[in-house]
Structures are given as structure tokens and as C-alpha cells.
Amino acid sequence: MHAQGPPSNICRSPRLGGFSNTSSPSISSDEDIEASVARRKETSNIRWWRRERPGRTTAAFNRWAARQRKPVSKKLLSSIIALIAILSVSLCHKARSDIPIAKLLPSTVISLLSYYTMHYKRLIPRNDIQRIISTWGNPNTPTAAQTHYPTDFSRDIAPIPCHSHNDYWRRVPLYDALSAGCISIEVDVWYTPTDLLVGHTASSLTQDRSLKSLYVDSLVSILTHQNPSPGLLNTTGTSRNGVFDTSPTTPITLLIDIKTDATKTFPVVLEHLEPFRSRGWLTHYNGSAVIPGLITVVATGNTPFDLLTANTTYRDVFYDAPLADFWSEDPVPIAGDYTSENSYYASTDFKATVGSLWHGVLSPRQVELVRAQVKEAKARGLIARYWNTPSWPVRLMEHVWDVLEKEGVGILNVDDLDRASRREWGG
């Protein structure tokens, strides 16, 4: 099936390259194409140094502007390294030939100077706006104190509904996921007599990688930074800021996968949450309603449902309900005790529940199964999550992401943070 083009009343802006909901111009589409070709020919006949800078709204200008913010010191260091490399090659050439080094140096230096003159010319501000941008925040300038503000820890990071699967495997646990905008973090914990250690298998555990050191202490530091003492306004309200500066009310979900005996591990997990609990940051159930917080903790793995729900007056750890049990192949809804008062996620193994994609796409029956399970999870006030989704080939992975998002899955289980955050998939 061929993809349909935009409606006839939507025209493509020649400057922005996108679509705008304006009425079509009086010229026909053939005339548009001829005019576009004529503009390209006209532009190609202009020498590159006479061409105008790209417009501010284009991606080309954004790339050019980004280059202006790179420190000149790094550029200069690269230039010196390149010069040393060329001189070294020249000396090696001199040692193996009869050409005097004096004849090689002038041409080498002239070539380098020509290149660097053209290269660094782009770094010189051409107007006052560019000058302000290029010097903003530099020491000994009027804007030195205007670069940072108290809650700029996650400046310009937009939260996205993705779950950092096996987060402890990342080069920088927690922070890599937050930099991509993930609002959910997964951590596998193992009970030892001294601490709760983090890792995928028992052989990967070390005393330096624990739940406290990698996640609890880091989140306490981040949220303390995001919630400074009353400042200039001396406000006394109860509003609190989450991790993301662009969306202060968005909570972080910490999915704790218990790998060892839950009767020993779960009470220690509750003890580790005390720094959050004492500050009033945890989403909790007070016996009658769920009170939202800055951090929502969900227990999965070996966590038994009865142990988690034993306390009926206060709970600040929620269950990861079995999504596969919400809808059978008949399909007949299956009753259960999983509600928003005791659970948060409803998760299942994608491959085991939905099946493989034999033809590279989800079949209509598979899509209907996903739709039914997601609908049942939403009816219970839970967020549907599928793990063990395809990770390769990339096209298959992105196809599944696209379908799950369109069917209303509340969170995407992600290994490739870069592709998930760039959102260059789906339609």
C-alpha cells in the first residue's frame, strides 16, 4: 500500500520544508515543480562565497549556529595537532627523498594558513546577535552570572515515555537515561547480608555497585538540587519539582526487579527507600487514595503480590501486574485484584505473549491482542508495558515501537536510548 500524500489544502512551505494548513496557491503542482527546479539552477550558478547564509528556521542554520558555540580552544588544539602531524610526515618524506625540507615547509604552511583562515572566519560573529550568543556566559562578561539558574540540571531535556531497560548496563547508570528523557528506570537488585547489589547476574555483582550508590543517592542529590531552599520570593507553598526542568510535575518511575528471595529482599528495599519517604517524594497509597509523588517505585521479579499488599493503610511500593493475564486468546476478560491502588505497571513478555513477526510486521490478530490488553490495563488504571520486544533489525524494532505507541501503550521498553529519543520512526 502506498502512503497517501498530504491533503490538497495543505501546501509545503519552501522555507520551512514542512506542511502548513493554508489554502493551496493558485499555481498548479507542475508549476511548483518547475519553479523549484529554476530556483535550484539559479542557486547553483552563484559562487559559494556569495551565497546568503541559510535562514534561521532551517536545519542548516541550526547546524551552523551549533558550530559557533564550540570552544575555539578545542579548534586551535586540533589545528596544532594537525600541523604537527603534517610536519612529521614532511620530515619522514625528507628522510627518504632528496627533496630539501625547506622546499616542503612553505607550501605546507601556506596550505594550512589558507585552510585555517577560511575555517576560523566562520567563528567570527557577523552581527551583535551572534556576538552575544558566542560570548554568553564567558567569564568577565556581563552575562557571566546569567548562564545558570537553580533548577537547570536537566535544562532543555524533554521527558519521553520510555523505560530504560537494564539501566545498570549503561556506561553511566541513571544519568544516561535521564539525558535521553526517559521517565522510567529498571534496576535488578540482589540481597546480600551487607547491601542490595545491582547487576544482571550473580557473577556481575560488586560491592561498589549497589542500589544506594547508583540510584538512591543520585536521585536524592538530583531532587535536592531541583528543590532549592526558598529563594527571592520566599514562597511557602507545597509545590515540588521533579527531575525534568521542562516538566516539573513528571515523576520518575523506579522499577526494582528483585532477583533473590523476596521475604529477605523486600524489607531491605523498603529500608533503602527511606531517604525518599522522609522527604515526602514517594507516590503512596494512604488507605483511601493514591497520592502522587516525585518518585514512583514499582516492584517486579520475585516480589509476591500478597507481601506487597499486606499493609492496607499505607504503601509506597506498587506491583507490576501480569498484563498477559488481562486478556486471553478467546478473548475473554480475566478478573483480578490488580488496580491503581496496588499496581502501577502491567507488563508482559512481548515475544511470549504476542509472538514473532514472521513477515516483518505485526499481523492483524497480533495488533488486536495488543489493543485488547492495553484497553484492559487502562480500564484498571494501569500503564501497559511490553518487554523483550525486537531489538534487531532496526526496522523491525521501530515498527513494533510505532504500533505499540499508536495502540496506547503507556511506556516503551527501550535498550537503544538514542533512537528512542530522536523519534525518527513511525508516522
Side-chain angles (χ1 to χ4, degrees), residues 170-294:
R170 307 198 184 281
R171 192 183 72 83
V172 185
L174 179 64
Y175 291 96
D176 276 348
L178 295 181
S179 68
C182 283
I183 62 174
S184 182
I185 312 293
E186 178 179 329
V187 50
D188 295 357
V189 299
W190 302 71
Y191 171 83
T192 67
T194 58
D195 207 347
L196 290 179
L197 303 184
V198 171
H200 195 64
T201 60
S203 58
S204 67
L205 304 179
T206 69
Q207 289 293 334
D208 295 326
R209 293 169 61 85
S210 66
L211 177 64
K212 181 178 185 298
S213 63
L214 289 182
Y215 294 95
V216 176
D217 290 348
S218 297
L219 284 171
V220 168
S221 175
I222 293 170
L223 291 176
T224 301
H225 181 276
Q226 295 297 90
N227 292 274
S229 301
L232 297 177
L233 296 181
N234 195 26
T235 56
T236 58
T238 58
S239 61
R240 296 167 298 177
N241 299 320
V243 170
F244 298 103
D245 186 46
T246 57
S247 182
T249 59
T250 299
I252 288 293
T253 302
L254 192 62
L255 179 67
I256 299 179
D257 190 343
I258 294 179
K259 295 295 187 181
T260 45
D261 182 15
T263 57
K264 293 181 178 179
T265 311
F266 188 69
V268 183
V269 169
L270 295 180
E271 293 176 5
H272 276 64
L273 300 179
E274 184 57 31
F276 304 149
R277 188 179 299 114
S278 62
R279 291 170 170 83
W281 290 345
L282 287 176
T283 299
H284 61 276
Y285 174 70
N286 64 5
S288 58
V290 175
I291 309 302
L294 301 180

Side-chain angles (χ1 to χ4, degrees), residues 122-192:
R122 295 181 302 176
L123 300 179
I124 300 174
R126 302 177 61 206
N127 53 52
D128 286 345
I129 293 178
Q130 294 176 5
R131 178 183 57 78
I132 293 173
I133 292 174
S134 63
T135 61
W136 186 271
N138 289 348
N140 302 320
T141 63
T143 60
Q146 301 173 2
T147 303
H148 298 286
Y149 52 91
T151 61
D152 67 352
F153 167 80
S154 55
R155 177 192 293 187
D156 298 333
I157 299 177
I160 57 177
C162 78
H163 171 79
S164 180
H165 179 235
N166 293 338
D167 182 78
Y168 46 85
W169 270 347
R170 307 198 184 281
R171 192 183 72 83
V172 185
L174 179 64
Y175 291 96
D176 276 348
L178 295 181
S179 68
C182 283
I183 62 174
S184 182
I185 312 293
E186 178 179 329
V187 50
D188 295 357
V189 299
W190 302 71
Y191 171 83
T192 67

Side-chain angles (χ1 to χ4, degrees), residues 5 13 45 79 85 105 129 162 167 174 177 195 249 251 293 314 336 364 369 375 414 423:
S13 169
N45 293 330
S79 304
L105 274 177
I129 293 178
C162 78
D167 182 78
L174 179 64
D195 207 347
T249 59
Y314 178 87
L369 176 60
K375 181 180 179 180
V414 169
R423 188 59 174 83

Side-chain angles (χ1 to χ4, degrees), residues 324-343:
D325 294 347
F326 286 3
W327 200 271
S328 66
E329 285 289 343
D330 294 330
V332 177
I334 300 176
D337 298 326
Y338 309 111
T339 67
S340 59
E341 294 181 350
N342 54 50
S343 303

Side-chain angles (χ1 to χ4, degrees), residues 41-190:
K41 288 183 178 179
E42 181 181 357
T43 304
S44 62
N45 293 330
I46 302 175
R47 299 297 183 183
W48 62 269
W49 61 82
R50 293 182 179 175
R51 292 179 188 173
E52 295 182 357
R53 287 287 181 187
R56 186 176 180 84
T57 56
T58 64
F61 179 88
N62 293 332
R63 289 194 298 269
W64 177 85
R67 287 196 295 267
Q68 313 313 306
R69 294 191 291 270
K70 292 182 179 179
V72 176
S73 58
K74 291 186 178 181
K75 298 285 187 180
L76 187 58
L77 179 61
S78 301
S79 304
I80 294 173
I81 293 174
L83 179 59
I84 293 173
I86 293 175
L87 290 177
S88 301
V89 172
S90 300
L91 291 174
C92 293
H93 180 75
K94 168 65 174 65
R96 292 183 293 178
S97 68
D98 297 331
I99 303 176
I101 189 67
K103 292 185 177 181
L104 293 174
L105 274 177
S107 59
T108 301
V109 172
I110 291 174
S111 299
L112 287 172
L113 288 176
S114 300
Y115 169 76
Y116 294 145
T117 300
M118 296 170 56
H119 183 73
Y120 285 112
K121 186 178 179 181
R122 295 181 302 176
L123 300 179
I124 300 174
R126 302 177 61 206
N127 53 52
D128 286 345
I129 293 178
Q130 294 176 5
R131 178 183 57 78
I132 293 173
I133 292 174
S134 63
T135 61
W136 186 271
N138 289 348
N140 302 320
T141 63
T143 60
Q146 301 173 2
T147 303
H148 298 286
Y149 52 91
T151 61
D152 67 352
F153 167 80
S154 55
R155 177 192 293 187
D156 298 333
I157 299 177
I160 57 177
C162 78
H163 171 79
S164 180
H165 179 235
N166 293 338
D167 182 78
Y168 46 85
W169 270 347
R170 307 198 184 281
R171 192 183 72 83
V172 185
L174 179 64
Y175 291 96
D176 276 348
L178 295 181
S179 68
C182 283
I183 62 174
S184 182
I185 312 293
E186 178 179 329
V187 50
D188 295 357
V189 299
W190 302 71

